[in-house]
Amino acid sequence: LAALITVSGNGCIFRNVQFANFADKDEDSGAVIVSGSRNLFQNCMISGMGHATPAARAGAYSLKVSGQENLFLNCAVGLDTIVRSAANAELALISGATRNTFKDCRFLSASETAGKALVSVADGVDRWNEFDNCIFQNFSVNWAASLSNAFLMSASATHQIVLRGLCQLVGVTGWADTVTHLYSAAPQSNAGFGVTV
């Protein structure tokens, strides 16, 4: 399957579910697409690119969101058992993805491709998306190559990415290639703010 499941409905609740796509599919594929709005995902694992073939494609993902006002609570997005060899993202926020909240979530990957991101934000994303007390973590063998940034987004976009609580980078050098639309309570909004060893 190119995508394991598409959630197009509104107001659905998913709790304690694992969505995993481990297919050997040579196309941009992933685990979950959320095009619906006001859905709740709680205690869910959402893992795409569970095979080296899709993990080598730039358009592959674990979770793709185009819906509005969804809440992801205590979820794991991505996985660190298959090495990503392309500049893809675990979470892809695409056109229409507005006012979504990710609280107490972990974004995971294993990659030695510095240009890979954990979250990509497309130009068509409007309003805001919030990440509250989340961990953005990449594993690299022998710490060979950290990810350059957790977020990949265009400077010309009109969205706001809000970082709340104790968001943390692990195995990632900076927050974003473009910090114009990144907001945090940390002292200075630059690529290295809040980064600790």
Side-chain angles (χ1 to χ4, degrees):
L1 299 172
L4 185 65
I5 186 171
T6 297
V7 178
S8 57
N10 301 323
C12 303
I13 296 175
F14 299 88
R15 285 194 176 109
N16 307 320
V17 180
Q18 177 176 322
F19 303 96
N21 190 347
F22 293 100
D24 179 8
K25 191 166 186 69
D26 191 14
E27 68 177 63
D28 296 342
S29 59
V32 177
I33 296 173
V34 179
S35 58
S37 298
R38 295 171 295 283
N39 296 295
L40 168 66
F41 293 81
Q42 184 175 15
N43 301 329
C44 293
M45 180 175 180
I46 303 171
S47 301
M49 297 181 280
H51 190 281
T53 303
R57 298 186 59 94
Y61 58 91
S62 286
L63 171 63
K64 185 182 288 185
V65 178
S66 63
Q68 300 179 9
E69 299 170 2
N70 296 288
L71 173 60
F72 296 83
L73 181 60
N74 196 34
C75 293
V77 178
L79 52 81
D80 61 5
T81 55
I82 301 296
V83 174
R84 280 74 164 107
S85 57
N88 47 45
E90 301 306 321
L91 168 62
L93 297 173
I94 63 173
S95 183
T98 61
R99 297 183 294 275
N100 295 290
T101 300
F102 300 85
K103 182 172 176 57
D104 298 325
C105 292
R106 182 181 299 265
F107 299 88
L108 289 164
S109 71
S111 175
E112 295 184 10
T113 303
K116 179 206 168 28
L118 291 163
V119 180
S120 67
V121 185
D123 278 351
V125 173
D126 200 6
R127 303 303 191 271
W128 55 267
N129 286 279
E130 182 177 300
F131 297 83
D132 186 353
N133 199 40
C134 294
I135 294 177
F136 302 86
Q137 185 171 8
N138 179 70
F139 177 77
S140 176
V141 177
N142 297 326
W143 297 340
S146 296
L147 297 186
S148 296
N149 295 293
F151 288 83
L152 177 65
M153 52 189 168
S154 170
S156 63
T158 59
H159 62 268
Q160 298 169 334
I161 298 296
V162 181
L163 300 176
R164 290 178 47 84
L166 296 174
C167 288
Q168 182 179 5
L169 298 178
V170 180
V172 185
T173 303
W175 283 104
D177 56 335
T178 302
V179 295
T180 312
H181 305 289
L182 197 63
Y183 298 87
S184 172
Q188 178 66 36
S189 185
N190 58 49
F193 78 85
V195 178
T196 60
V197 176

